[in-house]
């Protein structure tokens, strides 16, 4: 029976191994991290004090998968069809799924390699953050995107005095327009977070972050949340750009090696969210089982996971030439932005109240008759229909 080896036990690899087992394939899953595969998306819960076990994904062994944690693969011997482990062992395979994900990018700043400069990607990173976080300890988060804000809110909830440094003019610039981001900033400032942006960081000292204009911001903890880079080392000998290049069936340039999740590049896109990673896992398992299915990227939405602060974004945000519809209630700290192109909804942002996110998800790509009814949400839209 064909031996499938899935390398990387993050959400994509764990899901792919499970889907392979459900299709009756013989599958082995190896991952560099210790313990059971876990739901990285929910790391904020552990930062907030929950036990790491709450993130555990189903035990692969209980599903007939041979699972080997704590095992880093250093290279593939494609001629011999062996994966070589860091301790010099080798694992035989007939077909491989690379699900090695991404790593958080460590900014190449002077001082970025000190022990108090942390990342936010793994359970080990969160343990390091919790070990340093104390009431009133000054903390700086570099990066005002989804993950940076989640880390900042988590550290603030632990009592730290948090400053967020963001290189761009407004927060979450990939998911929000400037007005929605301003609403979000006001909410976070009301919770005690400070912001400096656009901020150009020059160096990290043992007790401060130094900006290019000479400003020193005290910091006993620094968290770098400035983006991720796909782990592509095992793609040596395959076509690789940002990620390992795959076709619609998720095959790399070696048809016996598939790549899924954040390490894969499909039609020039490397995904950074879990929904497409899981969709790729299912498609790869089907193709390995001889059921040819093409991967079609899902429409992406993003949710900021900070308790009591709903922020949601879908599709194209403030694209050039699109017709904007905005509703703002400054008293309640709510902002709603919608964008139409040729009368069709192409993007939406909700800040302060995201209860209508499902409604807008359903309207995406559909022609809109009554713009006012659309702006006011599902109840009005039905009444007007
Ligand atoms: C704090 C946080 C919050 C997030 N929140 C959201 C969210 O709200 N919504 C959302 O859609 N996404 C979110 N994400 C992103 C989401 O977690 C990723 O999109 C998802 O984890 C990608 O899954 P993956 O399996 O492709 O990669 P990864 O999760 O990176 O898993 C890859 C695994 O492969 C292992 N590995 C790497 N190289 C090797 C090797 N050579 N040998 C063996 N093992 C190896 C790694 O150790 C890792 O365990 C969040 C991420 C973080 C860090």
């Amino acid at each position: 029976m064909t031996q499938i080896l899935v390398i990387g036990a993050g959400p994509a690899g764990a899901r792919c191994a499970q889907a392979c087992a459900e299709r009756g394939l013989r599958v082995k899953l190896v991952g560099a991290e210790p313990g059971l595969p876990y739901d990285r998306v929910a790391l904020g819960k552990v930062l907030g004090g929950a036990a790491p076990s709450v993130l555990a994904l189903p035990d692969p062994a209980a599903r007939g998968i041979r699972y080997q944690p704590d095992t880093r693969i250093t290279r593939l011997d494609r001629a011999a069809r062996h994966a070589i482990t860091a301790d010099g062992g080798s694992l035989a395979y007939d077909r491989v799924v690379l699900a090695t994900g991404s790593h958080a990018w460590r900014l190449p700043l002077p001082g970025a390699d000190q022990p108090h400069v942390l990342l936010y990607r793994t359970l080990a990173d969160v343990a390091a953050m919790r070990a340093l976080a104390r009431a009133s300890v000054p903390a700086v988060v570099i990066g005002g995107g989804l993950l940076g804000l989640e880390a900042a809110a988590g550290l603030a909830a632990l009592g730290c005095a948090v400053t967020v440094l963001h290189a761009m003019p407004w927060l979450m610039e990939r998911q929000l327009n400037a007005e929605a981001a301003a609403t979000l900033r006001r909410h976070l400032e009301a919770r005690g977070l400070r912001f400096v942006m656009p901020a150009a960081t020059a160096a990290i000292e043992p007790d401060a972050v130094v900006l290019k204009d000479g400003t020193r911001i005290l910091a006993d903890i620094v968290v770098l949340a400035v983006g991720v880079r796909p782990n592509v080392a095992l793609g040596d000998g395959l076509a690789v750009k940002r990620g390992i290049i795959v076709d619609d069936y998720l095959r790399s340039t070696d048809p016996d090696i598939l790549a899924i999740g954040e390490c894969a590049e499909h039609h020039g896109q490397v995904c950074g969210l879990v929904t497409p990673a899981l969709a790729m896992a299912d498609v790869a398992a089907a193709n390995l089982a001889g059921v040819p299915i093409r991967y079609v990227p899902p429409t992406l939405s993003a949710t900021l996971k900070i308790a009591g602060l709903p922020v949601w974004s879908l599709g194209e945000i403030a694209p050039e030439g699109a017709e904007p519809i905005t509703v703002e209630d400054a008293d309640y700290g709510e902002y709603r932005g919608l964008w139409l192109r040729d009368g069709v909804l192409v993007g939406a942002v909700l800040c302060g109240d995201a209860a209508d996110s499902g409604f807008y998800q359903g309207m995406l790509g559909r022609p809109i008759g009554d713009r006012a009814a659309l702006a006011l949400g599902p109840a009005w839209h039905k009444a007007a229909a």
Side-chain angles (χ1 to χ4, degrees), residues 3-21 26-32 65-68 71 73 83 91-93 95-100 234 258 260 281 284-285 288:
Q3 173 69 59
I4 313 285
L5 177 65
V6 179
I7 303 176
R15 169 78 156 253
C16 184
Q18 183 182 326
C20 285
R26 188 156 69 116
V27 58
K28 180 160 195 167
L29 173 66
V30 291
I65 299 160
R66 285 187 300 143
Y67 174 49
Q68 205 170 307
T71 304
I73 303 297
L91 303 170
Y93 68 81
R95 304 191 73 187
V96 165
V97 180
L98 297 176
T100 49
L234 297 182
L258 286 72
I260 61 171
L288 288 165

Side-chain angles (χ1 to χ4, degrees), residues 2 28 35 42 92 106 135 149 212 219 225 233 329 333 383:
T2 302
K28 180 160 195 167
R106 193 171 279 275
L149 295 181
K212 287 203 171 134
D329 186 332

Side-chain angles (χ1 to χ4, degrees), residues 8 10-12 32-33 40 71 73 100-102 121 147 262 273-274 305:
E33 292 184 76
R40 196 177 308 288
T71 304
I73 303 297
T100 49
S102 301
R121 181 76 192 176
L147 290 197
E262 288 193 358
L273 292 170
V274 78
K305 300 190 303 304

Side-chain angles (χ1 to χ4, degrees), residues 27-124:
V27 58
K28 180 160 195 167
L29 173 66
V30 291
E33 292 184 76
L36 286 175
Y38 62 90
D39 179 13
R40 196 177 308 288
V41 170
L43 271 176
K45 289 184 188 167
V46 177
L47 181 57
S53 56
V54 302
L55 306 190
L57 294 173
D59 184 353
R63 293 162 186 246
I65 299 160
R66 285 187 300 143
Y67 174 49
Q68 205 170 307
D70 243 335
T71 304
R72 178 169 293 280
I73 303 297
T74 50
R75 72 182 175 87
L76 297 180
D77 180 342
R78 285 164 58 199
R81 289 179 190 255
H82 277 93
I84 311 302
T85 63
D87 62 5
S90 74
L91 303 170
Y93 68 81
D94 296 303
R95 304 191 73 187
V96 165
V97 180
L98 297 176
T100 49
S102 301
H103 59 275
W105 188 46
R106 193 171 279 275
L107 268 180
L109 279 177
D113 54 354
Q114 297 171 87
H116 71 298
V117 183
L118 308 175
L119 302 170
Y120 187 35
R121 181 76 192 176
T122 64
L123 274 171

Side-chain angles (χ1 to χ4, degrees), residues 189-266:
E189 283 173 338
R191 293 178 179 213
L193 270 69
R194 288 184 57 232
F195 294 92
V196 179
M197 56 193 189
T201 314
I204 304 175
E205 296 180 347
D207 63 347
V209 175
V210 184
L211 303 185
K212 287 203 171 134
D213 66 6
T215 309
R216 288 180 89 251
I217 301 168
L218 288 184
D220 290 343
I221 305 175
V222 179
V223 177
L224 301 177
V226 287
V228 297
R229 297 287 181 274
N231 294 321
V232 296
L234 297 182
D236 194 25
L238 307 172
V240 175
K241 283 187 184 158
R242 269 190 72 212
I244 299 161
I245 293 179
V246 293
D247 64 12
D248 286 349
Y249 300 96
L250 305 180
R251 293 172 303 204
S252 71
T253 40
D254 176 340
D256 286 331
I257 303 178
L258 286 72
I260 61 171
E262 288 193 358
C263 69
E265 178 172 333
H266 175 255

